[in-house]
Amino acid sequence: MKSVIFDLDGVIVSTDDLHFQAWKSMADRNGIPFDRQINNLLRGVSRAESLEIILRKSEKSYSEQQKQELMQYKNDIYVKLLDNLKHSDILPGVVELINRLKKAGVKIAIGSSSKNTRKILQKIGLETVFDAIADGTEIQHSKPDPEVFLVAARKLETKPENCVVVEDAVAGIEAAKAGNMTAIAIGDAASSSLADYRVNTMMQIAEILNLE
Ligand code: XGP
Ligand code: MG
């Protein structure tokens, strides 16, 4: 029996766009070029590593203290944006897929680099739905390192090779494969040559898993 580990931002809920807005405010305020293309590089990556990627475009160098302030600035904006998050922000097909997985007895987990994971799951009313949650508060290395998915598998008490990961991040697909898991790409992650499957809708995942 397979288990399914979902990424959160951009897979379960449209918070990937809120991350974009918050990082964009930080970048604009500091005169750092930032666009959707750069934002795609931040998918699946921790807050600190996201900042490092953004700062590659900056001519200035920043002290550790300044970096902390930039991350705080971004997160404050992001958390304010989360205030308006609600059940209807869950991406299309997610609730239906979760219901079908549960009906088929498939264990489900979240594997996200975000430290805001639990807050978001609460906001959208999915905090008690998953059998396990592994997030950015529990790991040393974010995607493309497999750590967060391995933590999720351990919490599900299943072997990595029995896990199927659903990801919108190229780094997330790399993490899944590095962890010896099956990788399903949706959205931006479809550009990864490592993906085992590419889907446009959640229901295609039910077909891949041969759910009744
Ligand atoms: P947290 C976030 C990063 O800030 C963001 O850049 C990533 O795209 C996102 O994680 C990936 O899920 O982490 O600031 O919510 O802890
Ligand atoms: Mg994501």
Side-chain angles (χ1 to χ4, degrees):
M1 175 68 73
K2 295 271 185 204
S3 297
V4 179
I5 306 174
F6 292 92
D7 171 51
L8 178 69
D9 298 316
V11 169
I12 296 288
V13 60
S14 55
T15 39
D16 52 333
D17 201 56
L18 304 183
H19 279 298
F20 170 74
Q21 290 177 41
W23 281 127
K24 177 90 175 118
S25 299
M26 187 285 292
D28 287 353
R29 187 171 190 254
N30 291 280
I32 306 165
F34 184 71
D35 57 19
R36 296 254 172 203
Q37 217 176 335
I38 300 169
N39 187 62
N40 280 338
L41 302 175
L42 314 184
R43 290 179 189 273
V45 174
S46 71
R47 196 180 307 165
E49 285 168 75
S50 294
L51 179 66
E52 291 300 335
I53 292 170
I54 294 169
L55 293 184
R56 282 188 211 146
K57 294 278 177 192
S58 172
E59 283 146 20
K60 280 196 262 170
S61 67
Y62 294 83
S63 66
E64 258 329 295
Q65 168 73 23
Q66 288 169 319
K67 287 180 186 174
Q68 289 299 331
E69 286 165 11
L70 295 178
M71 284 192 280
Q72 188 67 52
Y73 180 84
K74 181 266 176 176
N75 196 56
D76 288 347
I77 293 177
Y78 180 64
V79 168
K80 273 203 197 86
L81 292 171
L82 291 181
D83 261 351
N84 301 321
L85 202 67
K86 48 197 176 315
H87 191 73
S88 58
D89 291 307
I90 297 175
L91 287 164
V94 168
V95 172
E96 293 84 341
L97 177 62
I98 288 174
N99 288 340
R100 284 187 69 179
L101 289 167
K102 290 205 156 244
K103 213 169 143 205
V106 177
K107 292 256 183 257
I108 56 172
I110 289 287
S112 169
S113 301
S114 172
K115 294 183 173 166
N116 291 298
T117 294
R118 284 172 194 270
K119 185 193 293 278
I120 292 166
L121 290 174
Q122 230 165 22
K123 282 288 220 181
I124 59 177
L126 294 185
E127 73 269 40
T128 58
V129 168
F130 294 92
D131 299 293
I133 297 169
D135 70 22
T137 64
E138 299 161 90
I139 53 167
Q140 299 300 317
H141 308 285
S142 76
K143 303 164 190 176
D145 191 284
E147 187 178 0
V148 80
F149 293 141
L150 296 176
V151 171
R154 198 174 63 227
K155 288 188 178 185
L156 289 173
E157 298 179 348
T158 190
K159 289 186 187 148
E161 53 267 39
N162 290 334
C163 295
V164 177
V165 167
V166 184
E167 258 295 349
D168 72 317
V170 170
I173 298 293
E174 288 170 15
K177 295 317 295 174
N180 203 18
M181 299 178 179
T182 302
I184 301 182
I186 191 157
D188 191 64
S191 64
S192 171
S193 59
L194 292 178
D196 296 298
Y197 301 93
R198 290 172 189 79
V199 297
N200 298 310
T201 67
M202 286 288 153
M203 276 311 130
Q204 287 173 271
I205 297 173
E207 284 162 30
I208 290 168
L209 297 172
N210 271 321
L211 295 183
E212 288 297 306

